[in-house]
Amino acid sequence: MYGFEAMTFNIHGGYLEAIVRGHRSGLLTAADYNNVCQCETLDDIKMHLSATEYGPYLQNEPSPLHTTTIVEKCTLKLVDEYKHMLCQATEPLSTFLEYITYGHMIDNVVLIVTGTLHERDVQELLEKCHPLGMFDSIATLAVAQNMRELYRLVLVDTPLAPYFSECITSEDLDDMNIEIMRNTLYKAYLEDFYRFCQKLGGATAEIMSDLLAFEADRRAVNITINSIGTELTRDDRRKLYSSFGLLYPYGHEELAVCEDIDQVRGAMEKYPPYQSIFAKLSYGESQMLDKAFYEEEVKRLCLSFEQQFHYGVFFAYMRLREQEIRNLMWISECVAQNQKSRVHDSVVFIF
């Protein structure tokens, strides 16, 4: 029922949409970033952030500060806002908000399984997990030896259970298998989220289709680049690509046979939205690709706020806040390691 959302949306979603638009106005501006980038110590960063919405979360932290503390407190703010929105949400918005956290759940599962494989302490790994991706039985992931056990002992009771149907094998877990598992899970998750948004219809379906398609295409490019020079076959690579997006299906066919970064570039330049991303890179260079993709994503996320009466703003806000935390982490690391000259290398301005 496209175009009729305005009649009924505000009954259940009006309050939360107002809340999320209010949160968005609290994101750091270019002026804030310029101030933070000029800081000499982490305490200076804390002082600058005290005038922003992060102030209450950092005010009681003693000196000397660490980068991890700043990132932890900024993430805590995001988690508090998310939990508040989830408590107030009714169906189908509550399910939509839950979908947003599944990506973090997948990352946490992979983090713990990889850490256990390398004999790291489980408690130490749990501290590194993203708080939005936590679930009750996460600590017991450490006992699993292969995918089948991982599913049977732990994940069968989590929201990720349906996504595991394609990954259940009896092979022992190693770095390659875990990476394939991560990408298979992400593929199933993105396709499921895409179907859910299509079912919602209206402006939500239109805006989220664009945002999720971009995410699927970016993952396809990253999978291709990361698998160059590995034993992953073309068919295996093709299986990890999502079955939607601008590159589906013909772009996927081309990416599956790429042997180096310039061939990937050749395949992507046929698609105008991605041509501008690759135009920023010199030939043979892939280091700046992540930043170019993040900049394009931020542009699209900001545009979703231009339309009303849809759930895309919740997804966009969470992603923008996560990007902001990445920016602050990079700036803090540069300041802490006395690498001020590199401070602008990975900062993606939001406004």
Side-chain angles (χ1 to χ4, degrees), residues 47 51 75 80 143 145 147 149 151 177 182 212 246 319:
M47 190 182 74
T75 306
D80 286 349
V143 300
Q145 298 297 313
M147 308 275 191
E149 280 183 21
Y151 176 77
N177 282 342
R182 181 209 294 271
L212 290 173
L246 190 61
R319 283 300 175 91

Side-chain angles (χ1 to χ4, degrees), residues 119-292:
E119 295 177 358
R120 302 277 294 280
D121 179 46
V122 178
Q123 203 50 47
E124 183 193 328
L125 293 169
L126 285 173
E127 283 167 18
K128 289 185 177 176
C129 285
H130 196 292
L132 283 179
M134 298 304 260
F135 49 88
D136 293 341
S137 51
I138 193 165
T140 51
L141 284 170
V143 300
Q145 298 297 313
N146 58 43
M147 308 275 191
R148 202 177 290 278
E149 280 183 21
L150 197 64
Y151 176 77
R152 190 172 55 80
L153 297 173
V154 186
L155 296 169
V156 71
D157 295 324
T158 70
L160 300 182
Y163 308 149
F164 255 85
S165 57
E166 290 181 43
C167 329
I168 298 177
T169 61
S170 298
E171 290 176 39
D172 282 352
L173 293 166
D174 60 28
D175 284 343
M176 183 73 160
N177 282 342
I178 291 170
E179 217 32 59
I180 290 172
M181 176 182 85
R182 181 209 294 271
N183 286 306
T184 311
L185 286 176
Y186 247 105
K187 174 194 171 183
Y189 156 60
L190 285 175
E191 287 173 358
D192 190 29
F193 197 3
Y194 183 81
R195 280 193 298 272
F196 177 73
C197 293
Q198 291 297 317
K199 215 188 304 175
L200 291 176
T204 300
E206 183 193 1
I207 287 160
M208 284 305 297
S209 295
D210 180 55
L211 295 175
L212 290 173
F214 179 76
E215 178 70 16
D217 291 344
R218 174 170 62 183
R219 292 196 74 81
V221 173
N222 285 339
I223 287 165
T224 307
I225 292 171
N226 293 337
S227 63
I228 290 169
T230 65
E231 66 232 37
L232 204 67
T233 65
R234 290 173 179 180
D235 285 338
D236 288 343
R237 196 190 281 182
R238 203 177 282 120
K239 279 180 199 158
L240 299 176
Y241 299 151
S242 301
S243 60
F244 67 96
L246 190 61
L247 298 178
Y248 176 76
Y250 303 111
H252 289 171
E253 295 299 325
E254 290 190 50
L255 285 178
V257 298
C258 289
E259 300 292 341
D260 59 41
I261 179 73
D262 288 333
Q263 288 181 6
V264 174
R265 185 192 190 113
M268 295 299 286
E269 282 182 340
K270 295 172 185 171
Y271 299 87
Y274 302 126
Q275 192 175 6
S276 57
I277 292 176
F278 279 82
K280 297 175 186 174
L281 310 177
S282 54
Y283 276 89
E285 177 189 61
S286 61
Q287 287 89 345
M288 296 304 288
L289 184 60
D290 276 349
K291 187 184 178 185

Side-chain angles (χ1 to χ4, degrees), residues 296-320:
E296 177 64 25
E297 183 185 33
V298 161
K299 211 184 297 175
R300 290 175 184 228
L301 294 171
C302 289
L303 280 175
S304 68
F305 283 93
E306 301 296 317
Q307 208 163 329
Q308 275 185 301
F309 311 121
H310 65 91
Y311 294 158
V313 286
F314 298 95
F315 179 81
Y317 171 70
M318 298 293 286
R319 283 300 175 91
L320 288 172

